[in-house]
Amino acid sequence: MVGGRRILIAGAGSVGTYAGGCLAHAGRPITLLGRPSLMDRITAGGLHVSDLEGRHHHIAAGPGLRPETDPAAAMRDAGLILVTVKCADTAAMGRLIADHAPSDTTVISLQNGVGNAALLAEPLGHDRVVAGMVPFNIVQLADGRFHRGTDGAVMVAAGHAGLRAELDVPGLPVVESADMDSVLWGKLLINLNNALNALSGLPLAEQLGLRPWRLLLAEQQREALRALAAAGIRPARLGPLRPGLLPHVLRLPDPLFRLLARRMLSIDPLARSSMWEDLERRRPTEIDRLQGAIVALAGRHSLSAPVNARVRDLVRQAEAAGTGSPGLPPDAVGAQGGGA
Ligand SMILES: NC(=O)C1=CN([C@@H]2O[C@H](COP(=O)(O)OP(=O)(O)OC[C@H]3O[C@@H](n4cnc5c(N)ncnc54)[C@H](OP(=O)(O)O)[C@@H]3O)[C@@H](O)[C@H]2O)C=CC1
Ligand SMILES: CC(C)(CO)C(=O)C(=O)O
């Protein structure tokens, strides 16, 4: 489907660089469009990708992996574009693609939050844009590696011939879904933990192992499920549990939860949420597209979502302070929300 043209990673950060590395290792011709600091590093020393299953590959820069910082140069020979910028940059990336990429290039959003595909479709048209979802976590480690710390398969909208096969490579399993809206809402329920993880400053496995944090997540999910039901939205089941059961399992005592969690999901001790990474790098977070979306949806249906609103406000404060993760204890997060 790419017709011999290249796959462009539009916004090479954690997810994009990992995906680009796996695809390049499997022989797909990849262009990375990213910031000069990372692109220079990859040009000089190549790219390391690793995962919790023990894969570790080094891919040298060259014709198979071309780092670029100029959108026009990066996009002119793209046959397929994976958009991996944060939500705040989606609209701007859509305009760059409209200006510089061939007009028949398919564009896939691999971002969290609902509404990115629609934003990209504004300048590009609905026919060219495909919704996608990345279930796993990528962290950039101190040694420069892009490391996948949890498992799961990337999901892309069904009905685009050859797309799944083009992207499905070792380290980056890809499956199709006929209902990406439900998938993205299901993912958003899980992403309500991103902010808690960012506020805690703890690794994901450690934070989720502590019941006071899980109670806050359960309460946010309960508010979200109520708002989704009022709006007639059915979030997809993305793991062994259907969405309605998630808050109940999160409320289990630590020993029981840890036992169940060990059977249901693997989380590398190094994994952290992308929002933690944003706070640490003093970048804007996606809070308004996650907790903010739930508060807005609840409001449209005359419901309240006080714990989501409180978490949103704490993350906004942390963004404004610009001092990284505030390392809050869970009772400081639950204090005014009444969630835990
Ligand atoms: N990280 C993770 O584990 C996961 C992330 N996701 C989702 O995937 C999406 C991407 O997340 P993530 O990879 O963490 O984000 P990152 O911020 O790590 O990566 C995006 C990169 O794109 C760069 N960028 C933005 N605009 C441009 C531009 N015009 N030209 C070149 N580079 C640009 C950003 O630079 P700068 O920062 O300087 O603007 C940044 O380096 C998000 O929606 C996130 O929620 C989903 C699952 C897991
Ligand atoms: C950690 C994970 C995979 C789920 O919360 C994620 O989507 C993120 O960090 O943005």
Side-chain angles (χ1 to χ4, degrees):
M1 84 149 280
V2 183
R5 291 188 309 201
R6 303 179 68 84
I7 301 177
L8 169 70
I9 307 293
S14 299
V15 164
T17 307
Y18 174 82
C22 291
L23 288 161
H25 183 72
R28 310 286 193 272
I30 298 297
T31 306
L32 300 175
L33 170 63
R35 300 300 186 199
S37 53
L38 178 60
M39 296 303 99
D40 289 351
R41 205 174 84 201
I42 295 175
T43 301
L47 164 63
H48 287 268
V49 292
S50 61
D51 66 28
L52 76 168
E53 285 111 31
R55 287 185 191 84
H56 185 163
H57 303 302
H58 174 253
I59 309 104
L65 181 71
R66 201 176 85 206
E68 292 278 3
T69 55
D70 172 27
M75 291 182 184
R76 65 170 165 251
D77 54 1
L80 180 61
I81 297 182
L82 310 187
V83 175
T84 55
V85 291
K86 287 276 162 53
C87 297
D89 296 322
T90 305
M93 188 54 83
R95 287 191 296 273
L96 284 175
I97 294 170
D99 287 347
H100 299 297
S103 60
D104 60 345
T105 307
T106 299
V107 177
I108 310 179
S109 160
L110 290 183
Q111 301 164 279
N112 281 332
V114 291
N116 287 297
L119 268 179
L120 290 169
E122 280 176 23
L124 300 171
H126 285 280
D127 290 352
R128 291 176 66 189
V129 179
V130 178
M133 187 281 284
V134 175
F136 47 69
N137 174 257
I138 307 293
V139 275
Q140 300 182 43
L141 300 181
D143 62 6
R145 245 181 313 149
F146 286 79
H147 181 77
R148 177 166 60 79
T150 56
D151 52 19
V154 171
M155 298 179 97
V156 294
H160 301 271
L163 193 58
R164 192 199 68 77
E166 185 69 27
L167 296 177
D168 182 45
V169 296
L172 190 72
V174 179
V175 298
E176 290 185 329
S177 166
D179 187 358
M180 280 306 294
D181 279 348
S182 300
V183 165
L184 289 169
W185 280 110
K187 179 74 196 295
L188 196 148
L189 284 176
I190 293 164
N191 283 134
L192 294 177
N193 189 54
N194 285 16
L196 300 181
N197 182 255
L199 293 170
S200 76
L202 299 173
L204 267 176
E206 189 180 337
Q207 177 240 326
L208 283 171
L210 298 170
R211 188 164 183 265
W213 284 114
R214 293 199 308 278
L215 291 178
L216 285 165
L217 177 55
E219 192 52 26
Q220 290 187 103
Q221 289 184 339
R222 195 186 63 77
E223 292 174 358
L225 285 164
R226 210 175 35 176
L228 290 171
I233 298 168
R234 288 171 67 98
R237 166 183 175 157
L238 296 181
L241 298 174
R242 63 182 168 77
L245 279 180
L246 291 171
H248 300 288
V249 170
L250 289 167
R251 289 190 193 106
L252 291 173
D254 284 343
L256 201 51
F257 176 82
R258 287 178 194 163
L259 191 72
L260 269 181
R262 256 202 305 278
R263 294 199 183 158
M264 292 187 307
L265 77 166
S266 328
I267 307 184
D268 190 295
L270 300 171
R272 302 197 184 236
S273 77
S274 55
M275 197 174 287
W276 172 83
E277 205 160 54
D278 287 335
L279 286 187
E280 288 297 298
R281 289 167 189 250
R282 285 44 168 176
R283 293 184 308 199
T285 72
E286 296 179 312
I287 194 70
D288 288 332
R289 301 291 291 276
L290 301 175
Q291 270 79 358
I294 297 301
V295 174
L297 188 68
R300 283 201 292 280
H301 295 276
S302 307
L303 295 167
S304 64
V307 183
N308 280 281
R310 163 108 178 120
V311 170
R312 177 202 59 194
D313 294 347
L314 287 170
V315 170
R316 284 181 181 163
Q317 281 169 30
E319 278 178 355
T323 48
S325 164
L328 295 179
D331 54 355
V333 176
Q336 290 158 40

